Coordinates of all heavy atoms in Angstrom, one line a residue:
C7 N 4.5 2.8 -1.1 CA 4.9 3.5 -2.3 C 3.7 4.2 -3.0 O 2.7 3.5 -3.1 CB 5.6 2.5 -3.3 SG 7.1 1.8 -2.7
A9 N 2.7 5.9 -6.5 CA 3.1 6.0 -7.9 C 2.0 6.3 -8.8 O 0.8 6.4 -8.3 CB 3.8 4.8 -8.3
A15 N 3.7 1.1 -8.3 CA 3.8 1.1 -6.9 C 4.1 -0.2 -6.3 O 5.0 -0.4 -5.5 CB 2.5 1.7 -6.3
G59 N -13.0 5.5 5.2 CA -12.6 5.7 3.8 C -11.1 5.9 3.6 O -10.7 6.2 2.5
T67 N 2.2 2.2 19.0 CA 2.0 1.9 20.4 C 1.4 3.1 21.1 O 2.1 4.1 21.3 CB 3.2 1.5 21.1 OG1 3.8 0.4 20.4 CG2 3.0 1.0 22.5
A83 N -18.1 9.6 16.7 CA -17.4 8.6 15.9 C -16.7 7.6 16.7 O -15.5 7.4 16.7 CB -16.5 9.2 14.9
A85 N -15.0 4.4 18.3 CA -14.1 3.3 17.7 C -14.5 2.0 18.4 O -14.8 2.1 19.6 CB -12.7 3.7 17.8
A110 N -2.7 12.1 21.1 CA -2.1 10.7 21.2 C -0.8 10.8 22.0 O 0.1 11.6 21.7 CB -1.9 10.1 19.9
G112 N 2.4 8.2 23.0 CA 2.9 6.9 22.6 C 4.1 7.0 21.7 O 4.7 8.1 21.5
D120 N -4.5 9.4 2.0 CA -5.7 10.4 2.2 C -5.8 11.1 0.8 O -5.0 12.0 0.4 CB -5.3 11.3 3.3 CG -6.4 12.2 3.7 OD1 -7.5 12.2 3.0 OD2 -6.3 12.9 4.8
D129 N 5.1 10.4 16.1 CA 4.9 10.8 17.5 C 5.7 12.1 17.8 O 6.5 12.4 17.0 CB 5.3 9.6 18.5 CG 6.7 9.3 18.4 OD1 7.6 10.0 19.0 OD2 7.0 8.3 17.7
R134 N 9.7 6.7 17.0 CA 9.8 5.8 15.8 C 10.3 6.5 14.6 O 9.8 7.6 14.3 CB 8.5 5.1 15.6 CG 7.9 4.4 16.7 CD 8.1 2.8 16.5 NE 8.0 2.0 17.7 CZ 6.8 1.6 18.1 NH1 5.7 1.6 17.4 NH2 6.8 0.8 19.2

Side-chain angles (χ1 to χ4, degrees):
C7 297
T67 303
D120 192 347
D129 61 84
R134 297 261 164 91

